[in-house]
Amino acid sequence: MKKFSIALSVMLVLVTSFAVQATPDDDLKAFRSYFTKKFPNVPVADFINGVYAIDKPSREQWESFEEFPSYDIAIDNGKARFNKKFANGKSFASCFPNYKKGIKQNYPYFDKETGKVVTLEAAINKCLTDNGEKPYKWKKGPITEVGAYLAYLSRGNKINIKVPNNPDAIAIYNEGKKFFYAKRGQLNMACADCHYYYAGHRIRADILSPALGHPTGFPVYRNKWGGMGTLHRRYAGCNKQVRAKPFKAQSPQYTALEYFETYMSNGLEENGPSMRK
Amino acid sequence: MRLTARLLTSASIAAFIGCLGIAPGIASADTASDIAQGKKLAFNKKKGNCLACHQIAGGTLPGNIGPPLVAMKARFPDFEKLRAQIYDSRVNNPNTIMPPFGPDVILTDSEINKIAAFIYSL
């Protein structure tokens, strides 16, 4: 009898922990099917276009912006920065040997050595400091230029983020997932409230973009900013909207969030940099 | 709690005044100005910002996250239930996107009462 109840409780524990622990792959499938059901007329590949994937009228205006995009100059500046020699004679290419084929689709990635997740911006600044150069500021300016150039070279490559079977990687992924669904700020809203449950609805005059595909177009030139910004700059803006204290760009919180959001977008094409209103 | 106390006092004052047989209509004049102030508070982006999510008569560029606020007396025969919905929407729907205006002190009790009076008039 006792043996039986022990076996039963072991079984129960196994069953419940199985039910609770959705794998990143389970999450991705559920996430994907939620959005494809919610927007049956939007081809999956089109989710890279943010709100413009789901709203015809604003799409037309956006397409006209994209004809003479304000981010062009950022790509050019980024290319110049990328090719410029550091004081030690090396250049960015020494850190990104595959840059010509495009590398953005592999960021952010989990680094086994450090047990941390590395964003493209973190890798750009690490390249600078490893070579004795001063790092760039995190949210705008030069970092978005080098980022825009690398994104541009990655256009058309499919996002390929891995969450390896490593406790640290899984913990960071789960932290990002939790962040996405957690209510915060005085207005008590989650990323998921606006970009999952109510994606496609209007908040005042703004249509809410689906979270699927969020990272593909970054860095973006935003008319409201009058310049370029990174994904973390946008995260901070969205946190402020709900009167939450934003985290720092490249904080562990936003890095985990980016890891989650980008993993959810696996298989979609890179199309950065892009224009946003 | 405080509201009930206040309602009771104003009700008893009204009753008292009513007994004296003077100035009937003071209460409704009060409500009219409450409604007008409530409308301003509801539409103000830094206050209720209800238009972010609800279509409301007289407001421009409404969002469509929540239901249009129309025929509110039919929806909420009990005024107190309407006020409670605005005070803390989580009681009815724990995962609601609608901000908890009372508990998070986004609005004061008196501001919530005025907004509720306005919404009730729709």
Side-chain angles (χ1 to χ4, degrees):
Chain A
M1 190 56 211
K2 199 173 170 203
K3 255 195 199 150
F4 174 73
S5 64
I6 289 175
L8 190 71
S9 44
V10 168
M11 255 171 62
L12 274 177
V13 168
L14 282 177
V15 167
T16 42
S17 62
F18 183 75
V20 173
Q21 282 295 334
T23 65
D25 191 47
D26 296 336
D27 291 345
L28 187 151
K29 286 196 182 108
F31 205 80
R32 193 68 44 107
S33 87
Y34 171 82
F35 281 111
T36 47
K37 281 198 193 108
K38 195 174 177 75
F39 301 103
N41 301 323
V42 177
V44 177
D46 219 41
F47 280 96
I48 60 177
N49 295 320
V51 72
Y52 311 112
I54 57 172
D55 183 50
K56 271 241 168 67
S58 53
R59 182 171 186 128
E60 281 161 20
Q61 192 195 24
W62 170 67
E63 281 172 348
S64 72
F65 285 148
E66 285 275 351
E67 278 175 36
F68 301 99
S70 309
Y71 55 69
D72 266 357
I73 185 157
I75 299 177
D76 290 346
N77 291 348
K79 185 176 180 184
R81 287 180 185 282
F82 195 87
N83 292 326
K84 195 170 162 232
K85 294 260 184 292
F86 300 141
N88 67 5
K90 291 200 212 159
S91 68
F92 275 112
S94 65
C95 308
F96 302 105
N98 295 322
Y99 77 96
K100 278 188 189 147
K101 285 191 277 175
I103 53 170
K104 192 185 162 217
Q105 70 280 357
N106 302 321
Y107 289 85
Y109 72 89
F110 176 74
D111 180 6
K112 265 204 307 245
E113 311 292 308
T114 60
K116 291 193 170 136
V117 165
V118 181
T119 63
L120 184 58
E121 286 81 9
I124 290 170
N125 266 349
K126 182 167 188 301
C127 184
L128 287 170
T129 51
D130 281 354
N131 284 290
E133 301 282 318
K134 250 184 76 184
Y136 298 145
K137 293 223 170 74
W138 287 123
K139 287 203 286 201
K140 49 185 172 180
I143 200 147
T144 61
E145 296 177 349
V146 175
Y149 178 56
L150 291 174
Y152 182 71
L153 294 173
S154 311
R155 279 188 175 182
N157 294 355
K158 290 188 172 156
I159 295 191
N160 183 21
I161 304 305
K162 299 198 172 74
V163 180
N165 196 0
N166 169 303
D168 289 337
I170 292 170
I172 298 171
Y173 169 86
N174 281 329
E175 199 199 316
K177 175 178 165 186
K178 210 168 105 199
F179 195 112
F180 183 81
Y181 290 101
K183 305 265 187 192
R184 65 187 69 245
Q186 194 191 24
L187 299 189
N188 199 48
M189 290 184 206
C191 314
D193 281 329
C194 288
H195 297 292
Y196 188 82
Y197 301 114
Y198 288 100
H201 282 74
R202 258 179 295 111
I203 191 158
R204 280 269 175 178
D206 286 324
I207 295 170
L208 293 163
S209 58
L212 177 58
H214 258 174
T216 61
F218 278 82
V220 302
Y221 184 99
R222 213 177 153 209
N223 292 340
K224 193 181 154 199
W225 290 336
M228 303 284 299
T230 61
L231 185 60
H232 292 199
R233 183 176 181 191
R234 184 46 128 144
Y235 286 169
C238 280
N239 273 169
K240 283 187 218 154
Q241 282 188 62
V242 299
R243 303 181 194 164
K245 193 172 177 294
F247 291 91
K248 290 217 163 77
Q250 301 300 318
S251 58
Q253 288 84 357
Y254 284 172
T255 300
L257 182 59
E258 178 178 346
Y259 194 41
F260 170 74
E261 274 210 306
T262 317
Y263 185 84
M264 287 299 110
S265 302
N266 260 346
L268 297 179
E269 285 186 5
E270 292 289 352
N271 64 338
S274 355
M275 294 292 296
R276 289 293 183 264
K277 90 174 178 166
Chain B
M1 195 50 219
R2 241 192 291 160
L3 172 82
T4 351
R6 209 177 308 142
L7 280 183
L8 279 179
T9 4
S10 47
S12 38
I13 290 173
F16 178 67
I17 292 172
C19 285
L20 291 182
I22 41 168
I26 278 187
S28 66
D30 243 53
T31 328
S33 100
D34 275 5
I35 291 176
Q37 289 178 51
K39 180 174 181 175
K40 276 198 192 131
L41 289 163
F43 288 5
N44 183 332
K45 282 193 187 173
K46 299 221 161 76
K47 292 289 186 176
N49 198 14
C50 316
L51 285 169
C53 300
H54 295 283
Q55 188 186 317
I56 303 172
T60 48
L61 292 179
N64 61 3
I65 290 177
L69 300 181
V70 288
M72 279 290 125
K73 286 198 185 88
R75 278 282 300 132
F76 292 89
D78 179 357
F79 173 82
E80 182 49 33
K81 286 215 170 96
L82 172 67
R83 201 198 71 89
Q85 164 70 27
I86 301 170
Y87 183 82
D88 189 354
S89 51
R90 295 172 302 188
V91 176
N92 283 324
N93 173 7
N95 199 39
T96 184
I97 189 176
M98 179 164 154
F101 289 100
D104 274 12
V105 205
I106 302 162
L107 298 166
T108 65
D109 282 7
S110 122
E111 287 170 335
I112 290 174
N113 296 340
K114 287 173 182 159
I115 291 178
F118 163 60
I119 300 294
Y120 204 55
S121 76
L122 293 169

